Amino acid sequence: QVQLVESGGGLVQAGGSLRLSCAASGRTFSRYVMGWFRQAPGKEREFVAAISWSGGSTNYADSVKGRFTISRDNNQNTVYLQMNSLKPEDTAVYRCAARQKPYGLPTMPYEYDYWGQGTQVTVSS
């Protein structure tokens, strides 16, 4: 079992930055592929970014490529999402997810096994 707790959300003006963190429990964190997803009101859950167990490979949604950076610290059992040049359309609840299979960088929610509760990100225009 893995428990995930997100933090770092908040209200920011367009063009600003936020850094989200996702702290994981469990000794096997370093074996998991980690991902970030988001969901805005009335919309489906949307893939944002994923990172391999080693941190050597990443995958991004086209909508965030060049603005967001996913990273991880396996010593701290934490994955991060640095969000720059934020836009109002980035407003959503952001959730991190863990995938037990240690390969691939999937974009579909069903490929992930554990989920955090989420943190709200609101970008004002």
Side-chain angles (χ1 to χ4, degrees), residues 22-92:
C22 172
S25 65
R27 293 175 292 178
T28 56
F29 171 79
S30 62
R31 302 179 190 173
Y32 294 140
V33 170
M34 299 297 296
W36 284 97
F37 289 77
R38 66 187 182 185
Q39 189 166 16
K43 294 188 177 181
E44 293 186 353
R45 193 176 307 181
E46 176 188 23
F47 169 76
V48 175
I51 188 166
S52 62
W53 65 268
S54 68
S57 297
T58 57
N59 186 22
Y60 295 94
D62 287 343
S63 59
V64 307
K65 207 169 288 184
R67 299 188 298 123
F68 291 11
T69 303
I70 188 171
S71 61
R72 67 190 296 162
D73 183 340
N74 288 340
N75 292 323
Q76 298 295 324
N77 280 15
T78 303
V79 62
Y80 304 98
L81 185 68
Q82 178 67 43
M83 305 186 295
N84 299 329
S85 302
L86 282 161
K87 304 175 182 180
E89 51 263 44
D90 294 319
T91 295

Side-chain angles (χ1 to χ4, degrees), residues 32 66 97 115 119 122:
Y32 294 140
W115 292 84
T119 184
T122 303

Side-chain angles (χ1 to χ4, degrees), residues 91-109:
T91 295
V93 174
Y94 284 71
R95 300 176 70 183
C96 67
R99 168 179 164 87
Q100 285 184 305
K101 296 176 181 177
Y103 54 83
L105 296 170
T107 64
M108 299 303 293

